[in-house]
Amino acid sequence: MLPELVEAYYSPNMGLITHLQYPVQREEEVDEEPESNNLPPQLPPRNFPANDVKDSDPKSPEQACKSLSDTYLMRLQHMDMSTVPEEQQVAIQEYFRTSIYSDAEQLQNGNPNLPGFKKLTMTICKNVNSEISRILPTLEVFHRALDQQLSPGIGHFPKQMCADSGQSVSFRLEQLTKLIYSIEDKAKSAIFDSVGYEGGHRKSLIPIVMFEVKQESLGISTKMFLKVDVESGKIYFKKSKDGPEDKYFVHNKILQLVKSQKMHAKLVIVVETEKEKILRKEFVFDDTKKREGFCQLLQQMKNKHSEKPEPDMITVFIGTWNMGNASPPHNISSWFQCKGQGKTRDDTADHIPHDFYVIGTQEDPLGERDWAYTVKGVLRDITNISFKQVAIHTLWNIRIIVLAKPEHENRISHVFSDSVKTGIANTLGNKGAVGVSFMFNGTSFGFVNSHLTSGSEKKLRRNQNYINILRFLNLGDKKLNPFDITHRFTHLFWLGDLNYRVELPSTEAENIVAKIKQQQYQELLSKDQLNMERNDGKVFLHFDEEEITFAPTYRFERDTREKYAYTKAKATGTKYNLPSWCDRVLRKSYPLVHVVCQAYGCTNDIMTSDHSPLFASFEVGVASQFVSKQDLNSAPQGGIQIMNCVATLSTKSKTKFFIEYHSSCLEKTVKTSEGENTEHSDGSIKVWFGNQVQLTPIISDPEYLLDQHILICVKSTDCDESYGEGCVALRAAQFCYTEFHITLTHHGEKTGTLTGGIQLHTSEVKPTEKLYDFIKIEKDESVTSKGKCSDHNKFSITQAHDISNPSYMGVPYKGSNVTDRGWSYSMPPKNLPITGQGSKDCKKSSYEMGSRSPTGKPATGEDEKTSEMFDNPLYGSMGKSHGRGKDQDLPQKEHLTPPDTIFTPSKPADGEAERPPVPTPRNRSFTCSETKPPPPTPISLHPTTHKKPVVPSRSEGGVVNNRPPLPAKSRPGLPEPQTTKSRDYRESSELPGKHRLPARPGQPQPHKDTYPEVPKTGRSVK
């Protein structure tokens, strides 16, 4: 057959049946289009006042509607309407002639429902509505009758029977429904466009919200009302709900919100009066959720009226749902509004739209187009915004879709999507993962939706699925090929039906259900396979998960959330599917970036599947596309110095190693020379890279550099193979030389550690206030008296501890299940030169990172007591202020499991005892004080022989005059901490030799090659 085909192509007709019968015109090439396409897209404006359309466009909305009306009437004249009843012809013509104007007017006033259009569709479908009303009750009675004859749990059979017996009817109804939805969508789109409606900037989007609060004065509690008008940018203080506004403050006069950590419903609003005085007003809300809703509304107000051209913080909704091969119910809005069980949003935040919606589904029976249309319709009903589709990708029945606000369309670039099959022999797509990645201005995002192997006994197979997805999912910047997806993105979110189960015997099924009804989740979570595997470092290394405070999302009987169907009859016998948290959302971000979980839970009212939909929402810091304010010719050339790097690799390889530095802020990839290897008896290799490495950034402006990160890869010289990757944040070196310690990983497994120092050489800069600096958390003891006024500068108003983002500080979550942060930073003594800020700000630079925001804005006062360091929530529980339940230092009543479970926060990391004597930080530690401070689990303190006690203030980080600071362990005057579980590995031996204190008796001495005697200094460029 093949030779005949080849011979046919040698025939006169070149394999064609006959010659071309008609000439084909060549397409004319247009030269002008490519030139216009090369122009960069114009970024949309940040604010859209109501009169923008009239001012910017000479055409008024009435003229635009008249043009639209004339167009549609002309189209009707050229259509064959002989089959359309006369009364309906008149109705359509009347709508285009008159009613379309009223719809446009309603839209201008903020009502997007188009009443004229609805009236027209009701008129056209009048007979259909009456028929449906007559037929539906009959079908429902017949359905119920069949249900009563069938055993529970198989109520979906009648649907199939009805479909078989009346397929044409159901098909016609489905087509009719889709047609009506499509008509409605196109009509709204046309009218919205004609009047310039963008959805997110109209008066009715976020309605005025009233909060009832209490204010105490002289011991007397007074009821007050706070009225928040997001659209006008004002907050009103009222003494009665319906009375006049006593006082109001504009958005730019609201300086800060300070949450009380002890009283979870208490909030301090810091405002600036007309006389430029700083006023603190304390209020107590009804509950924590009301306070959080109030804070979110004010954040939205600040963001909406910001003068910045680009946002520095966005919110992301993450949803995952195993649909069980069943179509979704008509109403799924609770999923996108984060309503149900767990950590949920307050009702007052219902109208605040997220910037991005990322929805992952498994066992999805719908087509891509139908599902996208469904999700967009739900979001349009909730937010009045027509969201833009960034990407959609499907592997069999596994799907991910990403939607964004229209205003962000030109901020999104480098969109990629990919999938990996992990089914039988890794060739079937019934299990696997789909992913989407993109850049949002200067921040990279990655999203992975996975459906892993099912079955309680197949835990190891699930672990292998995870590794395969890491290795083969091709997303993000292709230049970062040495790194897997856990290092390619500023923020990586992993969602889906991970299928990890509660590892308990099937005989415990009834006890499990009983504990779920009593909301006793802690003991069950301690047996959760995913938590145990993460504790052992086998999967999701260095990922974070918000505390689970909702019931298991699998396996329910369909059409109810009251009963778990944990038994399943099979040919091989009865199979048990114990109630489990199969559906999860985890995240991993670069160091020192802002990310806070606002919601994490599941719905109660979506019951078509045996899984409940899971939701999560995050507040995420982003970097803008940077435009330097400095003159590039006159600005000094900046530099990044990395020195004293020592890698400890878990390998017995005899090869030599070098380090490769990658970053989008660098002119090129930089490689070091070969390191010096030292073998150890435990099978590891220690490699010392003694040479100082100078990295040249493409932009030297510190405002740009502080948002950047350096990706580090340790490679072998013989085959260029990676032996471990990690990441260092330049923000850690904002003020002076900083030592870092990072965990090296490869394909999701820990392969070693890397220690070293980093110094940033750049010009002086004043940190820019970010939107996430607007909210702080403070202890009640440090709150000043109520109503106190001061003349302090607005940038130093707060004395609160900024723990709004525990993720970037390494704060141990209760139940967050992370035993190793993967990185930590600490600063050397004060007498070393600092970068940028000069000696004036050196005191500020030697800080506890826990008391600062990522932007470096101070968050504590000079007069705070030292003893508060150990009362600081960084070292204890942030539980109630973040919805985490009881404090970590209190005994857990429901904790019935051995100490190796995830609910023991002080558990050392695996393999800690076998570590070489390199000074390494405790797990999840993150500090930036001048000496090595205590870890999150404090250790006992020892007295010292100094004549005068050293009592460091929090903002000075322990610096007193010119005396070099002592290690935290030998500081007098500090209270005994609550626990003495584990010793601190960050010994004083890490200090330079002249500041090093003698080791305690019995303390092992570190090897000399740990930190070679290389001066840890760098010249500051001013």
Side-chain angles (χ1 to χ4, degrees), residues 773-789:
D773 292 322
F774 178 57
I775 298 179
K776 305 289 183 185
I777 296 181
E778 78 173 349
K779 296 195 50 138
D780 287 85
E781 289 82 4
S782 64
V783 177
T784 56
S785 60
K786 295 179 282 293
K788 181 180 178 181
C789 296

Side-chain angles (χ1 to χ4, degrees), residues 253-415:
K253 298 296 183 182
I254 307 169
L255 304 182
Q256 199 164 79
L257 303 181
V258 184
K259 297 178 183 178
S260 165
Q261 183 200 351
K262 192 173 182 180
M263 294 179 61
H264 296 163
K266 182 179 174 183
L267 182 72
V268 176
I269 305 177
V270 184
V271 294
E272 182 181 354
T273 64
E274 296 176 357
K275 299 179 180 179
E276 297 187 353
K277 300 284 186 180
I278 304 302
L279 189 66
R280 297 169 62 92
K281 290 183 171 290
E282 295 184 9
F283 300 101
V284 179
F285 288 75
D286 290 341
D287 52 46
T288 309
K289 286 181 69 173
K290 290 294 181 189
R291 185 185 73 173
E292 294 303 311
F294 177 85
C295 291
Q296 290 176 28
L297 282 170
L298 260 66
Q299 251 184 341
Q300 181 76 4
M301 178 195 296
K302 297 285 281 188
N303 189 34
K304 185 177 184 64
H305 298 279
S306 171
E307 296 178 356
K308 299 177 183 178
E310 295 298 309
D312 52 37
M313 190 194 79
I314 61 173
T315 59
V316 180
F317 172 89
I318 308 286
T320 176
W321 183 24
N322 186 318
M323 300 175 68
N325 290 313
S327 297
H330 179 67
N331 185 4
I332 56 174
S333 59
S334 61
W335 187 19
F336 300 99
Q337 291 177 313
C338 299
K339 296 290 185 65
Q341 297 183 34
K343 185 176 182 179
T344 58
R345 297 177 85 187
D346 186 61
D347 294 342
T348 55
D350 282 353
H351 296 279
I352 302 178
H354 294 285
D355 295 275
F356 284 92
Y357 287 83
V358 182
I359 299 99
T361 52
Q362 310 84 39
E363 298 183 18
D364 187 342
L366 302 183
E368 276 190 356
R369 189 173 178 181
D370 292 342
W371 179 238
Y373 183 82
T374 300
V375 173
K376 287 179 183 179
V378 174
L379 293 179
R380 188 167 53 246
D381 291 341
I382 296 173
T383 66
N384 292 334
I385 298 175
S386 295
F387 278 79
K388 299 291 184 180
Q389 182 174 304
V390 177
I392 187 168
H393 197 91
T394 304
L395 172 68
W396 289 29
N397 294 109
I398 308 170
R399 177 174 298 131
I400 187 170
I401 181 173
V402 180
L403 303 173
K405 280 184 177 178
E407 64 199 70
H408 296 320
E409 192 170 8
N410 290 332
R411 299 181 176 120
I412 300 168
S413 62
H414 300 81
V415 180

